[in-house]
Amino acid sequence: MCNMYNQFLVTIAIILFKNASGEKSAEVKGDVKIALLLDNCVNSSDPYRIQSLIASSVSTTDRINLLETLAPLKLGLSVHEICSESDYYKTIFDLYMQEDDYLIGIIYDKELPEKVLKFSSVLDIWTTPTTKFSHYLVKASVQFLSVIGWIDNVTVVAPDEKIMNEFYAQSKREDICITECIIFEDTCPQTMNISSPIVFFGTLNHIYQFLKNQEFQWTDDQEALFVPLDGSMPTDLPLNSYVIIPPHVTPTKAISISENILPTPILFEVAKPILAYTKNIEKFITDNCNETIYKINCLRSRFHKKYHSVFLTASGIMESLRIEPLRQSFVYNIYKVENDTMNPIMIISNNTFSQPMTKIFSYSIFDHNISSTRNFEINNMTRNTERKCVSYNAKPRYILDDSLDINFRSESWVYAFLSLSLLGVVFCISILIFLLVCIYRKDILEGNPVLTLALLLAIMILFCSVLPFSLEHNITSRIPFCLAKPLAVTLGYAFVFSLLLSRCILLATASKEIGFMSHIAGPVQSFLCLFIFGVQAALSLQVIGRCHEIFRNGSFVYLMSYNVMLLLLLLCLCPLIYKCQRNYREGKYFTIGIILTTCLWSVWLPLYTLLEDEWRDPMLCFGLVGTAGIFLGTVFIPRTYLMTIAAARDKIASTLPSMATATSTMDIYRANNHPIYDCVNVAAINAVTVARAGITATSMQHPDLYSCPALPDDEEFDFRCDTPPCTDKVTKF
């Protein structure tokens, strides 16, 4: 079935994208190949960065072949410049159809559309983005501020919290005071009064949009530092502003042969994914392919495109490529935009010349020092040693997109779980209406209905917890959805398990002879429930501030460990509550539900830890819907049936004429219409009655005295002892 579906998609791709094309800029022949896709639309991309990525990828590939990392195989590379989404489909499909070279994977620079990623997944082609080493740019910007003397009242504008936190940490070391920080994410700041100096982090498009919004308020004396996170070379910057960019390769028509490695930090962005692919293939060949099997045939028959993450730093990349002698040459250059004819760099943008930029500083990313490249006058301010900066922890100001674009995900499993959840919620609402009607009509109910209503509400919450995993969200709703996912899962389970555990603990003790006199105190049960739930609530507070990391590593399993412990405690209490008949035999049905839930958790939780990332959300929804469905089917549906039968029986009994008056305690119990406990311990009642009559232990041993004690003080009671009363527990339904 899966092969037919894949063939269908391939056929559609041939029909839709046969006229599309992606230009191949460079190619290195090899036995196994990596493809690099670069978004290079006319008038939208930076040619300097594109050419630097091409040159760096070619140099890295040739360096790997020179070191014979995959010997006897040779690593190949093909670079494709793409402009439209149809070009992506066409290029990926052409790479899939090639039979001569074994495709390892695809590397892309700009984020691919979701449909393109799904198309690659259907074709079993692994995709990996280039890596951005933004922390080096942050360190360079802080060093520049310290050298030039911008240490007070600094305004920082960044696209995410990660860069902002890194800038905070580095600025503290250099004693730089930050008065305001703005996190704009995908929406650039509109026109506003921004104090000087300003440090702006963003892509090339972010910088242009920001300057366009501030066009009418920008003055020549504005102190600004622009830090392009994508390493692009911006043009048309304001006069007397500064920019930090890495060395670039001069734009050419094509790069067909290997060149010497250019010591630019852009090299690390493309070299890291290439080395990650290479190390995965190298490890697989070493472990699975012997010398008697041709390596390509071994890869085609055994390798299933299951790549493992490889931790590589910039130093690790240099060590893998053995280019440590170039360590001092990897720098970021700092330019100033000024009307200066001394060593200018003229930049061509849309066939027009912009104002010159003069290189004044260089920052070594490995030595972390900044040096002047010309006789530039540095503002050596004498810092006040008594100056205290109190604005390090200035609260970030967020500028978000006002539009809320929330849609359901397109995966098939989403609609399956949503349908099951909706059906479960409908059942819960029906049972809730039935219970409320019974309470309003003052029908005979066994036990306190508060527990039943609370447990029903908890099950409805479990059914609704699949919603955060079923919706797509944008930047505006990213943080609320990020918090909702772990909190809904952990607190939803804790709500159900705390109610069950507090009830089961008291059931296990109240069911014993004379224990609690068959009475369960509501305040005790409520305190136990709140305490058990409060522990999980305290653990779940850890997701605040780092919710993005919860589902990427073992943090989620750590948060779920408390719920696992609660489930094991419930399982241990099952033998003690199974025979309890109170509250419509809830002990029996609790036991069945707990055992089934344990079996379910033995399946979904190990699968969550073992399967790939794309299967984790379905496993979480499977656990939520399965657990809620088990308790709905094993507790509430049987209880509703028993309540209906009990109500009908009571209605029939009330219409029958009375055959005799109540002549015993048991008759009084059976005839009483007031809400009383459902389980009466007759032996305990007789023991208390004997104690009230003052009968000694010797007399208690007599069967007649035990079964029908003499009560001289209670003359209003006429106890008849025609037959000895049964000592079994009597349950009312």
Side-chain angles (χ1 to χ4, degrees), residues 576-681:
L576 303 177
I577 66 172
Y578 179 73
K579 295 183 179 180
C580 179
Q581 298 295 316
R582 70 166 62 237
N583 204 1
Y584 304 102
R585 306 174 189 174
E586 66 179 357
K588 175 182 177 180
Y589 296 120
F590 279 176
T591 301
I592 297 174
I594 291 168
I595 293 176
L596 292 178
T597 303
T598 304
C599 297
L600 174 68
W601 279 51
S602 301
V603 175
W604 81 264
L605 194 57
L607 289 178
Y608 173 84
T609 58
L610 296 177
L611 295 178
E612 300 295 332
D613 293 343
E614 60 269 17
W615 288 98
R616 291 189 170 183
D617 285 355
M619 286 299 102
L620 289 173
C621 294
F622 175 64
L624 291 169
V625 175
T627 303
I630 286 174
F631 285 111
L632 178 63
T634 59
V635 176
F636 283 100
I637 293 180
R639 177 175 294 184
T640 304
Y641 170 76
L642 293 177
M643 290 177 65
T644 305
I645 297 301
R649 182 184 303 171
D650 182 74
K651 183 178 181 180
I652 294 174
S654 63
T655 59
L656 295 176
S658 178
M659 301 300 295
T661 58
T663 58
S664 67
T665 305
M666 299 309 301
D667 294 334
I668 295 174
Y669 168 70
R670 291 188 177 93
N672 192 5
N673 289 327
H674 296 287
I676 58 177
Y677 292 106
D678 59 305
C679 184
V680 178
N681 194 327

Side-chain angles (χ1 to χ4, degrees), residues 47-59:
Y48 290 85
R49 173 175 171 80
I50 296 297
Q51 293 299 318
S52 299
L53 285 172
I54 296 175
S56 299
S57 61
V58 172
S59 301

Side-chain angles (χ1 to χ4, degrees), residues 11-45:
T11 305
I12 295 298
I14 295 175
I15 297 174
L16 295 179
F17 312 119
K18 61 182 181 180
N19 295 326
S21 62
E23 181 182 356
K24 182 183 293 185
S25 300
E27 184 176 13
V28 178
K29 296 293 184 179
D31 301 309
V32 293
K33 185 172 66 175
I34 297 174
L36 175 62
L37 306 184
L38 299 177
D39 192 345
N40 189 22
C41 291
V42 180
N43 300 327
S44 63
S45 296

